Amino acid sequence: MGLGPWEGEWPDGDQWDPVLLRDGDRRNVADRYRYWLHEAIVADLDTRRHDFHIAIENWQHDMNIGTVVRTANAFLAKEVHIIGRRRWNRRGAMVTDRYQHVRHHPTVDEFTAWARKEGLEVIGIDIFPDSEQLETYELPRRCVLVFGQEGPGLSPAVHAAAKATLSIEQYGSTRSINAASAAAIAMHAWIRRHAFGQAPR
């Protein structure tokens, strides 16, 4: 994976990393960012990030958080928010957390206060009696999609604070899907609506 040392005359520009140009770039980055400085990649991503945020509760050291961060990077979420425990397993992120802004909120109250200050609508993703269908819900452009940890799901505090709670339609025998998978589906629903203009039916 990656490319070897740069062949030929080195390119001009502040974004280029002389060490990578000399030794090669083996990082897991898109081709457009080969040989770029890490700071230059983040700065370029910051000019294009989408208007949605992702939050996940982390009361029991959820192993899904790394995968959620990796998916948030793929869909270029504005930020990822960890509610609860600060420490999380970064293995599933595959180093994408270096390119994705990650913010910590010790409590639900602090998180919801931040969301209100930023003018973001809190949208929970979970299965509750009052949940609406993600497939038909009009996702707001400026929002934060919140996911509970594997097993317990969203806490009552987040459920109460959310403008709406959305569920993902399922057709098999299981009651729920993996939290990281649910996060990927919800993020893509936002992308379809606001990046591609596909209105829900």
Side-chain angles (χ1 to χ4, degrees), residues 1-42:
M1 183 176 65
L3 298 175
W6 185 278
E7 296 182 5
E9 185 176 352
W10 283 11
D12 292 326
D14 295 336
Q15 74 270 35
W16 304 104
D17 186 327
V19 175
L20 296 176
L21 291 170
R22 183 193 66 203
D23 298 338
D25 189 352
R26 309 295 181 185
R27 300 172 301 174
N28 181 22
V29 297
D31 287 343
R32 66 177 294 182
Y33 293 129
R34 289 292 178 201
Y35 306 105
W36 280 35
L37 290 160
H38 168 259
E39 296 80 6
I41 295 174
V42 174

Side-chain angles (χ1 to χ4, degrees), residues 107-120:
T107 67
V108 173
D109 286 345
E110 291 181 53
F111 163 72
T112 54
W114 166 85
R116 285 194 301 271
K117 181 180 177 182
E118 296 296 318
L120 296 168

Side-chain angles (χ1 to χ4, degrees), residues 21-94:
L21 291 170
R22 183 193 66 203
D23 298 338
D25 189 352
R26 309 295 181 185
R27 300 172 301 174
N28 181 22
V29 297
D31 287 343
R32 66 177 294 182
Y33 293 129
R34 289 292 178 201
Y35 306 105
W36 280 35
L37 290 160
H38 168 259
E39 296 80 6
I41 295 174
V42 174
D44 186 69
L45 292 174
D46 286 346
T47 68
R48 303 185 292 108
R49 293 190 192 276
H50 292 118
D51 290 327
F52 73 94
H53 295 242
I54 296 299
I56 185 165
E57 296 190 272
N58 184 36
W59 308 114
Q60 299 175 3
H61 202 60
D62 195 322
M63 298 292 288
N64 288 283
I65 292 177
T67 305
V68 173
V69 170
R70 183 180 180 183
T71 306
N73 171 266
F75 292 128
L76 207 54
K78 185 78 75 177
E79 289 184 336
V80 174
H81 303 263
I82 311 297
I83 307 169
R85 296 179 57 175
R86 180 182 292 275
R87 295 187 61 186
W88 54 279
N89 190 321
R90 285 169 164 75
R91 181 175 300 176
M94 298 292 288

Side-chain angles (χ1 to χ4, degrees), residues 136-147:
T136 58
Y137 188 83
E138 182 64 56
L139 283 173
R141 174 175 286 277
R142 288 180 45 78
C143 66
V144 51
L145 304 172
V146 191
F147 304 88

